[in-house]
Amino acid sequence: MKARINGIDKREEKHFFLFISPWLLGFLIFTLYPMVFSIILVFTNMDMTGSGQFVGFANIIRAFTEDPLFYRSLLNTLYFVLVSVPVSLLAAFLIALLLNQKLKGVGFFRTSFYIPYITSGVAVTLLWGWIFNAQFGLVNYFLSLFGITGPNWLSDTRWAMPAIIIMGIWTIGNSIIITLAGLQDIPEALYESAEIDGASSFVKITRITLPLVTPTLYFNLVMGIIGGFQIFMQPYILTEGGPSYSTYTYMMHIYNSGFKYNEMGYASTLAWLLFLVIMIITQIVNRTSRHWVYYDN
Amino acid sequence: MEAYYKSKRTSDRIKTSLSYGVLTIIAVIFIFPFIWMLSTAFKIPSEAYTLPPKIIPNTFTWDNFVQGWQYADFTRYTWNTLIVTVLATLGTVLSASFVAYGFARFKSRYSGVLFTVVLATMMLPSQVTLVPTYLLFTKLGWLDTLKPLIIPSFFGGGAFNIFLLRQFFKTIPKDLDEAAYIDGANAFQIYYKILMPAIKPALITVGLMSVTFHWNDYMSPLIYLNSDQNFTLAIGLQFFQNSFGSSQIQMLMAVSLITVIPVLILFFIGQKYFVQGITMTGIKG
């Protein structure tokens, strides 16, 4: 009896490994091996051809003591994350609240908010470059209607990053839909009983909606942080990191170090340092989450 | 009491119209950039650079599309992008469903650990593996070919897709498989004859998300492609902007519009599935 069960188990195990084999191979080749290799690279000065020597901690020391762009790009990226993530989160929540009402034509609005996200690529980035054009762009024209002379957005050190943040907030469609799904999971009965108790809309939102949607907000927050730290395409295309490094992001520094200056060892070091920063920040968010994220069980 | 209901109805009506007003304003903000793109694409140069900006141009022209398209080899870029998108999506859907079937239906001593590894890889930022992966593709001789953009998709199709499809397989009763086993079907036949058709909506969702991802992808083509003949649209567009863009905005917008339209059409056809996919993303959290 036991042998037969073992026999079946073995056959099942064989099947299991057969079917997961594409992933297992992919994991070994495209994740595990590069990760290990990448750790080794941290301690070398390897270039694109794969030749280089062991340099100990030189790359790490260089990042902290000899590379002003390390701090600069890190601070720029932090600036981006600290502004765009909370604003996006709040905006997505408010828009989702509006969409969560029993209104006709909600589908049309949902579509409008989602389209920027689905199309976000080089074409749409170039479109924003035109919208932020100092002389003929839409933004400055709109401001001029109120008598405001708009800045030279993308060529002004103070305004280039805000411009990129604005563009980022425009693509919050996915967080809106995720938040909306979270809102729709809240049982209607809770609102009905609150209504019987005479609760106002404000009380309903702050006492029922907000606590119950916190798991979704938490998810959006963590994804926003991880995504925000990897911002690359928009500043790379619109400003190439300029003017005077005001939009030079951390991901751009990794890219330039590795693929422009051919320093693969240093690029790997920067990548791991970014990984550490992201880990630390998400861990902090995770720690605080038990104070504000509401869990059912 | 009646007065209470009357006032409540009035306040509801005010709330509703207020909501519509606010939603409309926000919708305009979200959509207007595209209208601006459309309008610029049909303008003659002198009108593109005019103040105040006009939404409907005085003189409509198709020249921007024709000329812009000819400035660089956009037909070639489109073809490359199409190859990458179609093949990578095929790889994603096939291999993610294949692997998900393994995780959903077969038990092993290692299935728990390995599935945890799948989930863990979702958290790993791509830049950590960026440089070694590049060196690996260089060694394989894949540099400046479309291979690095396509072939990895056939190895699992991405952790998130595996996770998503596994959840779907799990919703289908196992009795269905067992009945087929008794009828003499093997594990492969059950996978593609019974389970794949049963989760078609989920497969479409994964497919559509993969199409938009690969169509819009910028980072990988930027790293792996060097020569003009291998460019995808994303790289081609940037190349075009660097050469002519700042002085030929109407052409840049025309070409950009052409590259956005396929995604938009696809979105309108498969809207339901896109929303489904995004909603499922949230459930994960």
Side-chain angles (χ1 to χ4, degrees), chain A residues 112-113, chain B residues 23-33:
Chain A
S112 331
F113 304 148
Chain B
L23 280 172
T24 307
I25 293 170
I26 304 170
V28 168
I29 296 172
F30 275 72
I31 290 302
F32 206 72

Side-chain angles (χ1 to χ4, degrees), chain B residues 5-25:
Chain B
Y5 277 116
K6 206 169 176 190
S7 81
K8 189 174 177 333
R9 236 179 296 143
T10 324
S11 82
D12 274 356
R13 214 169 286 156
I14 293 170
K15 228 175 83 184
T16 306
S17 25
L18 208 66
S19 299
Y20 272 120
V22 176
L23 280 172
T24 307
I25 293 170

Side-chain angles (χ1 to χ4, degrees), chain A residues 21-41:
Chain A
S21 60
W23 169 78
L24 199 57
L25 271 176
F27 171 72
L28 295 174
I29 303 169
F30 299 120
T31 308
L32 194 63
Y33 159 76
M35 269 179 81
V36 174
F37 192 2
S38 171
I39 294 173
I40 297 169
L41 277 170

Side-chain angles (χ1 to χ4, degrees), chain A residues 12-13 101 104 111 114 274, chain B residues 20 107-109 127 278:
Chain A
E12 192 166 337
E13 192 148 52
Q101 303 171 93
K104 276 179 198 153
T111 304
Y114 196 44
L274 177 61
Chain B
Y20 272 120
K107 276 209 181 68
S108 146
R109 275 163 288 180
Q127 54 270 30
I278 293 303

Side-chain angles (χ1 to χ4, degrees), chain A residues 148-159:
Chain A
I148 303 167
T149 311
N152 281 321
W153 291 94
L154 296 170
S155 43
D156 184 324
T157 51
R158 283 163 308 166
W159 291 104

Side-chain angles (χ1 to χ4, degrees), chain B residues 218-232:
Chain B
Y218 174 69
M219 188 89 179
S220 306
L222 177 73
I223 290 174
Y224 295 117
L225 307 175
N226 306 319
S227 45
D228 185 63
Q229 80 221 27
N230 293 322
F231 281 178
T232 59

Side-chain angles (χ1 to χ4, degrees), chain B residues 21-274:
Chain B
V22 176
L23 280 172
T24 307
I25 293 170
I26 304 170
V28 168
I29 296 172
F30 275 72
I31 290 302
F32 206 72
F34 291 104
I35 296 172
W36 184 233
M37 186 188 228
L38 188 74
S39 122
T40 309
F42 283 102
K43 282 177 184 167
I44 53 170
S46 62
E47 252 192 297
Y49 299 95
T50 314
L51 285 173
K54 278 205 183 92
I55 294 305
I56 297 167
N58 286 342
T59 322
F60 271 93
T61 173
W62 286 96
D63 286 0
N64 300 323
F65 293 92
V66 180
Q67 282 179 29
W69 203 254
Q70 284 164 351
Y71 251 127
D73 199 352
F74 277 105
T75 312
R76 180 79 198 214
Y77 305 157
T78 309
W79 179 240
N80 290 337
T81 314
L82 215 58
I83 290 176
V84 169
T85 304
V86 169
L87 292 182
T89 299
L90 194 73
T92 300
V93 171
L94 280 182
S95 78
S97 62
F98 198 75
V99 173
Y101 172 61
F103 275 116
R105 284 303 201 245
F106 301 103
K107 276 209 181 68
S108 146
R109 275 163 288 180
Y110 309 103
S111 45
V113 184
L114 288 176
F115 196 66
T116 311
V117 176
V118 172
L119 297 182
T121 57
M122 283 202 272
M123 314 290 172
L124 187 78
S126 58
Q127 54 270 30
V128 170
T129 54
L130 188 69
V131 167
T133 311
Y134 174 87
L135 293 174
L136 174 73
F137 289 152
T138 313
K139 262 201 195 117
L140 290 172
W142 289 3
L143 218 62
D144 205 18
T145 72
L146 301 179
K147 285 177 193 162
L149 314 180
I150 297 167
I151 292 172
S153 302
F154 284 84
F155 289 88
F160 176 68
N161 293 327
I162 294 174
F163 173 82
L164 202 141
L165 293 176
R166 174 183 171 267
Q167 300 302 97
F168 270 92
F169 281 132
K170 289 223 158 198
T171 61
I172 295 162
K174 228 177 160 176
D175 304 354
L176 219 61
D177 309 24
E178 270 151 23
Y181 268 122
I182 290 164
D183 289 342
N186 63 33
F188 277 105
Q189 288 165 328
I190 289 166
Y191 159 71
Y192 72 80
K193 278 194 181 149
I194 297 175
L195 291 181
M196 285 290 268
I199 63 155
K200 218 172 177 180
L203 294 175
I204 295 174
T205 302
V206 169
L208 287 177
M209 292 195 302
S210 167
V211 167
T212 48
F213 172 78
H214 289 287
W215 187 271
N216 290 327
D217 189 21
Y218 174 69
M219 188 89 179
S220 306
L222 177 73
I223 290 174
Y224 295 117
L225 307 175
N226 306 319
S227 45
D228 185 63
Q229 80 221 27
N230 293 322
F231 281 178
T232 59
L233 281 171
I235 305 299
L237 269 179
Q238 191 215 359
F239 175 73
F240 181 81
Q241 188 225 13
N242 288 343
S243 339
F244 314 101
S246 44
S247 59
Q248 303 283 349
I249 198 69
Q250 69 292 346
M251 258 183 236
L252 186 67
M253 288 298 109
V255 177
S256 297
L257 186 65
I258 299 176
T259 69
V260 169
I261 281 173
V263 185
L264 284 180
I265 292 175
L266 200 72
F267 173 71
F268 282 110
I269 295 172
Q271 223 192 101
K272 192 175 91 186
Y273 299 103
F274 274 108

